[in-house]
Amino acid sequence: MATYSLPDLAYDPGALEPHLSARIVELHHGKHHQAYVDGANTTLDKLAAAREAGDYGSIVGLQKTLAFHVAGHVLHSIYWTNLGPDGGDRPTGELADAIDEQFGSFDAFRAHMTQATVSVQGSGWSALVWEPVGGRLLVEQIEDHQDHTILGITPLLCIDAWEHAYYLQYENRRADYANAIWNVVRWSDVAARFEAART
Ligand code: MN
């Protein structure tokens, strides 16, 4: 059976400096993301054992744990590819047009998503997503890895607001991290996800 595995980073851990320190990227990718991969695989094994035994006494906890770890793996996999040393600036083309149409302007979108990153309660994420039923972009604020999200959406840009994403460098100044991260957003990756989501 296929198992989840940690994707390699496409850049050196120090490549996002000064906006994100090498040590943060090393620990975040190699330890935190790895833990979600391991947790997803362990939980799948436990669910398989439950099916084998016909014993579903722990199913509620296992399903919640599965959602936490798989969503964590998905979000982190997108986060690492959303970022890069060649990032920054702002989107162009159809993605830029859709952002202007649905948020008023790029600056309004960026201010909205920055505040979503800054204000998430506890541990969580902000995300720019494509919602196919309405055919529109939305900003989501996700608690943990999976709460308050909308089924059927495609995440395009995911910003980690857990303390492990910034605390070693920014300490309690989450807003400084939430502003600095825009300097390493690869809009080419976000635009490719936007294109794939709509076609
Ligand atoms: Mn994280």
Side-chain angles (χ1 to χ4, degrees):
M1 188 190 301
T3 56
Y4 292 105
S5 61
L6 185 69
D8 291 334
L9 289 175
Y11 41 84
D12 292 332
L16 306 181
E17 291 188 344
H19 310 294
L20 214 49
S21 77
R23 190 61 180 149
I24 286 180
V25 174
E26 283 172 359
L27 289 170
H28 195 177
H29 176 258
K31 302 297 183 185
H32 293 276
H33 188 171
Q34 180 71 61
Y36 304 130
V37 169
D38 294 344
N41 290 327
T42 299
T43 310
L44 286 175
D45 288 345
K46 289 179 179 177
L47 284 163
R51 285 193 300 274
E52 181 80 16
D55 177 3
Y56 293 102
S58 300
I59 190 171
V60 173
L62 288 174
Q63 296 293 161
K64 182 176 179 181
T65 303
L66 184 71
F68 177 80
H69 287 297
V70 174
H73 175 45
V74 168
L75 284 167
H76 284 88
S77 297
I78 297 170
Y79 178 71
W80 299 126
T81 54
N82 281 161
L83 304 181
D86 55 344
D89 206 3
R90 53 181 64 203
T92 57
E94 292 187 45
L95 176 59
D97 294 343
I99 286 174
D100 285 347
E101 181 186 343
Q102 291 169 31
F103 299 98
S105 68
F106 177 74
D107 288 342
F109 154 73
R110 186 169 54 187
H112 178 172
M113 187 153 164
T114 300
Q115 283 308 307
T117 306
V118 170
S119 65
V120 64
Q121 294 182 324
S123 298
W125 294 68
S126 66
L128 173 68
V129 307
W130 172 251
E131 195 287 293
V133 175
R136 62 173 302 140
L137 298 169
L138 295 172
V139 169
E140 288 191 342
Q141 193 177 53
I142 301 167
E143 292 190 2
D144 286 336
H145 297 145
Q146 75 281 20
D147 291 342
H148 311 311
T149 188
I150 298 164
L151 284 176
I153 58 91
T154 300
L156 308 176
L157 171 62
C158 304
I159 301 299
D160 196 335
W162 285 53
E163 286 186 348
H164 68 226
Y166 64 88
Y167 211 88
L168 273 182
Q169 183 176 358
Y170 292 93
E171 299 180 331
N172 61 311
R173 301 181 303 280
R174 192 195 289 183
D176 290 355
Y177 159 77
N179 281 300
I181 201 75
W182 294 111
N183 293 306
V184 286
V185 169
R186 292 174 61 229
W187 287 107
S188 58
D189 182 67
V190 182
R193 293 177 184 281
F194 180 56
E195 180 65 24
R198 289 181 306 149
T199 56

